[in-house]
Amino acid sequence: MCAHQPPCPGADRPDHDAARVVAAHPEQGWSLLCNGTIVFDDTGELLPGGAVRAPVRQLWSGTVTLAA
């Protein structure tokens, strides 16, 4: 499927997000990767077999310092 050298990681690999973008649609919020994965701006993913990965929601754990 992938003609890049080195080849892009397959959709079943943990590093599948490292595949190259072959079609970008930022106005719609998604991109198609070389391995067939569709990634969305909110970090959700649609894998080639139809599996869905929910967006990753990270909580901010820093502290806020207010200026005096």
Side-chain angles (χ1 to χ4, degrees):
M1 178 181 212
C2 176
H4 300 116
Q5 289 301 323
C8 293
D12 58 342
R13 301 251 325 257
D15 59 346
H16 66 275
D17 287 339
R20 294 188 190 186
V21 173
V22 293
H25 294 275
E27 72 283 359
Q28 296 176 355
W30 63 273
S31 296
L32 173 64
L33 302 183
C34 182
N35 60 14
T37 301
I38 298 173
V39 293
F40 297 94
D41 287 352
D42 68 354
T43 71
E45 299 176 345
L46 180 59
L47 301 177
V52 174
R53 293 204 175 157
V56 176
R57 305 284 186 211
Q58 293 182 330
L59 297 176
W60 186 69
S61 61
T63 59
V64 176
T65 304
L66 299 176

